[in-house]
Amino acid sequence: MNTEIKDNIEVTKPPIASIGIIGWLRKNLFSSLSNTILTLLGIYLLYSIIPSFISWAFIDASFVGSTKQECSKEGACWIFIKENLKLIFYGLYPSEELWRINSMYFVLLVCGIYILIPNLKYKGLVGSFLLILFPILSVVMFSGGFGLETVETRLWGGLFLTLVIAGVGIVLSLPIGVMLALGRRSKLPVVSLLSTIFIEIWRGVPLITVLFMASNMFPLFMPEGVNFDKLIRALIGVMFFSAAYLAEVVRGGLQAMPKGQYEAAQSMGLSYWRMMALVILPQSLKMVIPAIIGSFIAIFKDTTLVLVIGLFDFLGIIQFVGTNPDWLGFSHEGYVFAAVIFWIFCFGMSRYSQNLEKKLDTGR
Amino acid sequence: MTTELMIEMNNVHKWFGDLHVLNDVNLKVNKSEKIVICGPSGSGKSTLIRCINRLEEHQRGEIIVEGTELTNDSRSIERIRGEVGMVFQQFNLFPHLSILDNVTLAPIWVRKTPKAQAIDKAMEYLKRVQIDDQAYKYPSQLSGGQQQRAAIARALCMEPRIMLFDEPTSALDPEMIKEVLDVMVGLAEGGMTMIVVTHEMGFAKEVADKIIFMDEGQIVEAKSPDDFFNNPESERTKTFLSQIL
């Protein structure tokens, strides 16, 4: 057989219009008439919103000063935020005791950064410190005892309170959720029934109702003289509420596991708990990371509801300082500030979720 | 060599709903014996070997493995599973663990072997199935044949006294079947007690002490390979052989 082979194969390039920025624009923004119209409409919309927002938030805004009178009428008055920063961040926590919160922030920050840096030793140690010792230490530092002055929880507030509620809710609800998910899939009818009832009751009730019950109804059922702290009751409510949602998320992951994984683990003689801890949960939790983080983000934002039981979280306190006669009329600034801070935290969690997924991806 | 009874199944029955998947199965397996089970799909051959390590529960009759009867007692089941290795059609390696971690998992957590020692032994077995150079990769990075050999090494690391193979080559591309069968032949020559569900008749001829033909939940024929291929008694066996040979 004879095949002719061309000596000089011309190196051809794709047409200019299909590559680079122009190609990208053509393909994605102007590929058809309707697409072009949408693109132009979108550009117009952005043009009409962004410049006026920027001039309100930055160009015409007032940053320097300490009273309402120093604020310009046209722009945002960030002085309002600046002057109330302590309230917004710490609530009514006594000023001379703020170092206790700040030092715990610092510890958390250092440990968090340590864990996020790849390839460091003793990460497990730092992680278990954060999960076990840190919470205990926090309780002592925040509420007092061991020579520290007692600070009642009614003085806790602001971003600090939001982080406490969300932190406790997130950290405790995951293990409880996992146990509930395993319980619901258990072969033992009693365990399965109880888990199902628990999950369905908590999922069937709005968080706001849970908080009301925790704050107003719960004390009625307690014996005379027994009084749980309101914050603790709210924490327990948030924790179980979140756990019920997580349980269903985790159950989804468990159900997506191929039967062969269970069988392989069993056939090697692994007991139920070892099989779950070493083989099934690492894989099924990995599968549902986006949904788990989604639940965490939801809980973080839902903490704002504790306002209804008289706890002043981050958003609650911003609304509260807006009613101060000295600072009437600045709720816009407060809400924008709250939105930015919430967004930073939620976006951070979201990025961490993607990061974690990528890191744990070992293929199937 | 004295014969030592490893597995004994007496009048074993099992139903899936109304379907009678194992119908009065009797089987005795001696130490170092190699049994090949074949038969049409749905004949109950996989169910039979899955009953031996109780991945499936039998409903009537008795199964005795190494002198222990299989009951609901989870302790004795876990102990027996430690003695009985199993290789699956779909390999069932753990995708979140490296090959080495797959292989050392059970020795470390079930046998309580110290980690360093478990790794040494794992590397030895991985070398035996010729994938020691893949030890730090994840299952998804290996070919089907390599994965199945890793799965065999994983089972062997528990130093089982019996090995069950449930259609170990059925999910493999043709060019990879041989590398897995070679490992199994080597294992057979080493004196392992083996029960193999397979359609690889060449392997059966070469290795089996006894070939069992199953159909509709029953053991229809149990003979030495020579007899099985040359003088099958039952019509069903003859039909089956004519279809696959």
Side-chain angles (χ1 to χ4, degrees), chain B residues 15-133:
Chain B
W15 289 265
F16 283 137
D18 284 337
L19 192 67
H20 205 165
V21 281
L22 290 183
N23 186 352
D24 199 29
V25 169
N26 290 283
L27 178 67
K28 284 189 172 56
V29 182
N30 289 321
K31 190 167 192 306
S32 291
E33 212 174 359
K34 287 101 188 107
I35 310 263
V36 166
I37 305 179
C38 60
S41 69
S43 59
K45 45 195 197 306
S46 284
T47 310
L48 189 150
I49 66 165
R50 287 158 61 87
C51 277
I52 294 171
N53 64 354
R54 213 173 175 80
L55 287 182
E56 303 284 357
E57 258 174 62
H58 59 287
Q59 284 142 328
R60 213 199 286 167
E62 58 172 9
I63 301 177
I64 299 165
V65 180
E66 295 217 58
T68 310
E69 189 181 348
L70 288 177
T71 59
N72 277 324
D73 175 29
S74 62
R75 283 274 169 74
S76 64
I77 292 173
E78 277 159 27
R79 204 185 57 240
I80 286 172
R81 283 173 177 165
E83 302 294 328
V84 180
M86 186 158 195
V87 175
F88 299 86
Q89 183 178 355
Q90 299 295 341
F91 330 136
N92 293 345
L93 291 173
F94 305 132
H96 63 305
L97 299 176
S98 70
I99 296 300
L100 186 62
D101 287 338
N102 262 279
V103 177
T104 54
L105 184 83
I108 290 174
W109 291 94
V110 179
R111 287 264 192 272
K112 314 283 183 206
T113 314
K115 199 173 174 195
Q117 204 180 319
I119 289 175
D120 284 349
K121 203 204 288 171
M123 291 310 291
E124 189 185 306
Y125 279 111
L126 287 174
K127 192 169 261 170
R128 204 157 124 190
V129 298
Q130 292 168 8
I131 46 167
D132 47 324
D133 51 338

Side-chain angles (χ1 to χ4, degrees), chain A residues 259-272 274 278-280 282-283 286 361-364, chain B residues 50 53 55-56 78 81-82 84 86 88 92-97 105-106 109-110 112 138 140 154 158:
Chain A
K259 210 171 145 223
Q261 293 290 308
Y262 289 90
E263 290 179 347
Q266 284 170 347
S267 75
M268 299 190 305
L270 287 174
S271 65
Y272 174 83
R274 293 231 171 89
L278 299 169
V279 177
I280 305 299
Q283 295 184 62
K286 192 169 83 182
D361 182 26
T362 56
R364 269 223 73 89
Chain B
R50 287 158 61 87
N53 64 354
L55 287 182
E56 303 284 357
E78 277 159 27
R81 283 173 177 165
V84 180
M86 186 158 195
F88 299 86
N92 293 345
L93 291 173
F94 305 132
H96 63 305
L97 299 176
L105 184 83
W109 291 94
V110 179
K112 314 283 183 206
Y138 286 97
S140 61
R154 179 174 73 173
M158 287 291 281

Side-chain angles (χ1 to χ4, degrees), chain A residues 6-199:
Chain A
K6 247 209 243 170
D7 281 346
N8 295 319
I9 301 171
E10 265 182 74
V11 182
T12 49
K13 281 186 182 159
I16 284 292
S18 71
I19 53 165
I21 298 174
I22 298 172
W24 185 89
L25 284 175
R26 261 199 166 181
K27 197 173 155 216
N28 294 293
L29 298 180
F30 302 102
S31 61
S32 67
L33 183 63
S34 54
N35 200 347
T36 308
I37 292 173
L38 281 176
T39 302
L40 294 176
L41 217 63
I43 291 173
Y44 174 72
L45 214 64
L46 290 178
Y47 170 75
S48 53
I49 295 172
I50 291 181
S52 55
F53 179 79
I54 288 178
S55 63
W56 176 81
F58 301 107
I59 299 168
D60 298 337
S62 331
F63 297 91
V64 196
S66 57
T67 58
K68 190 162 129 179
Q69 282 69 35
E70 286 163 85
C71 283
S72 71
K73 289 277 174 293
E74 295 80 38
C77 174
W78 299 120
I79 300 168
F80 163 69
I81 302 292
K82 204 177 74 185
E83 286 302 303
N84 290 298
L85 212 55
K86 199 215 130 215
L87 265 176
I88 291 173
F89 278 172
Y90 304 101
L92 298 170
Y93 211 87
S95 300
E96 60 277 17
E97 304 293 336
L98 285 186
W99 64 270
R100 283 152 59 172
I101 298 179
N102 290 334
S103 50
M104 290 313 275
Y105 277 158
F106 180 72
V107 172
L108 184 65
L109 196 72
V110 169
C111 293
I113 289 173
Y114 189 89
I115 285 177
L116 286 178
I117 297 173
N119 305 326
L120 283 183
K121 270 187 173 180
Y122 307 118
K123 269 194 186 185
L125 214 64
V126 176
S128 36
F129 165 78
L130 269 189
L131 284 177
I132 300 161
L133 277 180
F134 184 81
I136 299 170
L137 203 60
S138 300
V139 170
V140 176
M141 284 293 271
F142 297 157
S143 60
F146 295 100
L148 289 170
E149 198 182 317
T150 309
V151 180
E152 285 182 55
T153 55
R154 63 181 177 81
L155 299 176
W156 299 17
L159 185 63
F160 166 60
L161 183 68
T162 294
L163 291 177
V164 166
I165 298 173
V168 171
I170 286 170
V171 171
L172 293 183
S173 65
L174 187 59
I176 298 174
V178 169
M179 293 311 288
L180 283 171
L182 293 178
R184 190 164 185 170
R185 283 172 60 81
S186 167
K187 277 187 191 141
L188 309 169
V190 179
V191 176
S192 157
L193 186 71
L194 287 178
S195 309
T196 308
I197 290 174
F198 187 92
I199 292 169

Side-chain angles (χ1 to χ4, degrees), chain A residues 180-300:
Chain A
L180 283 171
L182 293 178
R184 190 164 185 170
R185 283 172 60 81
S186 167
K187 277 187 191 141
L188 309 169
V190 179
V191 176
S192 157
L193 186 71
L194 287 178
S195 309
T196 308
I197 290 174
F198 187 92
I199 292 169
E200 293 304 339
I201 286 181
W202 285 91
R203 284 206 322 157
V205 184
L207 181 59
I208 205 161
T209 321
V210 170
L211 292 171
F212 260 124
M213 298 266 276
S215 151
N216 302 328
M217 306 265 297
F218 187 68
L220 300 179
F221 304 128
M222 290 315 266
E224 198 82 28
V226 175
N227 191 20
F228 276 114
D229 191 282
K230 185 154 72 176
L231 176 63
I232 291 180
R233 280 182 269 145
L235 281 178
I236 292 173
V238 168
M239 177 180 86
F240 282 145
F241 185 82
S242 164
Y245 274 90
L246 281 173
E248 289 300 278
V249 168
V250 173
R251 191 168 68 97
L254 289 173
Q255 265 162 351
M257 286 292 294
K259 210 171 145 223
Q261 293 290 308
Y262 289 90
E263 290 179 347
Q266 284 170 347
S267 75
M268 299 190 305
L270 287 174
S271 65
Y272 174 83
W273 291 109
R274 293 231 171 89
M275 168 175 80
M276 283 301 168
L278 299 169
V279 177
I280 305 299
L281 283 173
Q283 295 184 62
S284 50
L285 289 180
K286 192 169 83 182
M287 262 189 269
V288 293
I289 287 173
I292 289 178
I293 302 283
S295 271
F296 287 170
I297 289 175
I299 275 301
F300 184 76

Side-chain angles (χ1 to χ4, degrees), chain A residues 341-359:
Chain A
I341 299 290
F342 270 110
W343 183 81
I344 288 172
F345 277 97
C346 295
F347 184 67
M349 284 195 261
S350 170
R351 293 301 305 183
Y352 182 64
S353 147
Q354 286 172 27
N355 189 330
L356 204 60
E357 266 180 88
K358 224 177 268 168
K359 204 176 80 186

Side-chain angles (χ1 to χ4, degrees), chain B residues 180-191:
Chain B
V180 170
L181 289 179
D182 284 348
V183 169
M184 290 167 64
V185 170
L187 201 57
E189 283 164 356

